[in-house]
Amino acid sequence: MNYLIQFQINIFAFAILVILYLFMQKSRIKTFSKHLINWSLTTTSIAIIDEPLTWIFDGQQFFGAFFLEYSTNFLLYLIGPVIGGLLMSYVDFRMFHDRNRVKKRWYYQQASLITLIMLILNTFLPLYFSVNPETNSYRSEPFKFIHYILLGLLYGYFFVFVTTHGDKITRNETLIYQFFFFIPIAGMLLQLGNSKLHFSWTSIALALFVIYVFLESTPSDEDYLTKLYNRNSYDAYMQHLLQGNKQFSLIVFDLNYFKEINDKYGHEMGDYTLICFAKALKKAFAHRGLAFRLGGDEFAAIFDSGNVEAIIEMMKGHLQQNDNQLIKNLRFSYGYHSPLPGMTADELSNIADHKMYAQKQEMKEHDPRGMR
């Protein structure tokens, strides 16, 4: 009963992982990121079960008790960096969407390999821990700090990695990963301060729950490719402003010759073009409003104030800073309008679209290449 009270938080964490696992099994859509979460769930569950066993077997006197006490502690030390590597693999895949890249990096298990070597050495020369053969009692050894340094370096690299490649993920993902980084570190520090506070594995269970709920099962507010707000966000925000009788302006954009770019240079260049235009749009409206990708090569911005022509020139200036000549010379059409009292979202969008297509037609008539 004492152990049940002592490890009640482990039981709670294990219950979370079981529920999460059952929810994941209901999904028929299998992805590599979900496989990584499954592996993380499994290894964290093993750790949650293994930790109480290290306490239960400590000091016990029966045949095989020494082996059980030593092996459970051996596994507990090893499994920490294994979980950290799997979490790092998940973040890498979410950013680069390349499972081969993760495999080439050994699923970020370098710290696990070092830990395994240290644990093998530990059987001959106690570095991390020792178990007295006579009393079967566990004792920490002087070089145990190396283990925590390795874990700290792994999670430190995790933080730097997320910060460095933040442009490849949405703002929400960045916040979640930072939260993801903080929780295990906080749990580890708490447990370092008091070995009876079993927060390390519970914190990872909580982090996995947050990642699954907010990244694997909840639709994002942002567009996957450009990281601008998506069409759903656009519709919701527009309704919010109109129903609140807010003063704002809408400007819609359409890229010229985008089909030709895709046909001539391929879809990879087409995606790059969309990303570059989105960055220019986001910078131009950074302090004026919000930028959206409506779909394909159609974009929009909702803003409160500012000279439209000056903003357009600012966007062109951002595009011309690109080293790629195609992006430097990228052309686009636009139309803008402010809502009148009682105007619906469809009416406002249609007026702005009409102005944009009128400009597009005018440019087409003066351009011998034609325009798509």
Side-chain angles (χ1 to χ4, degrees), residues 258-310:
F258 184 68
K259 185 177 185 302
E260 291 182 8
I261 292 173
N262 267 328
D263 291 345
K264 186 174 181 179
Y265 300 99
H267 289 287
E268 186 173 344
M269 186 62 207
D271 287 349
Y272 180 66
T273 302
L274 294 174
I275 291 169
C276 290
F277 182 80
K279 286 181 178 178
L281 181 63
K282 189 174 183 178
K283 287 179 181 178
F285 286 93
H287 304 292
R288 298 177 175 86
L290 299 179
F292 305 83
R293 183 188 179 197
L294 304 183
D297 61 333
E298 297 178 3
F299 297 83
I302 295 175
F303 61 104
D304 331 345
S305 61
N307 182 288
V308 172
E309 299 305 324

Side-chain angles (χ1 to χ4, degrees), residues 190-220:
L190 283 171
Q191 195 156 344
L192 268 175
N194 187 335
S195 61
K196 293 187 177 182
L197 294 175
H198 307 288
F199 288 143
S200 293
W201 313 117
T202 308
S203 64
I204 292 175
L206 180 59
L208 288 170
F209 180 79
V210 168
I211 275 193
Y212 179 75
V213 170
F214 289 101
L215 297 183
E216 294 293 332
S217 59
T218 303
S220 173

Side-chain angles (χ1 to χ4, degrees), residues 176-187:
I176 289 169
Y177 292 146
Q178 288 171 346
F179 175 73
F180 199 19
F181 159 81
F182 173 76
I183 288 182
I185 291 295

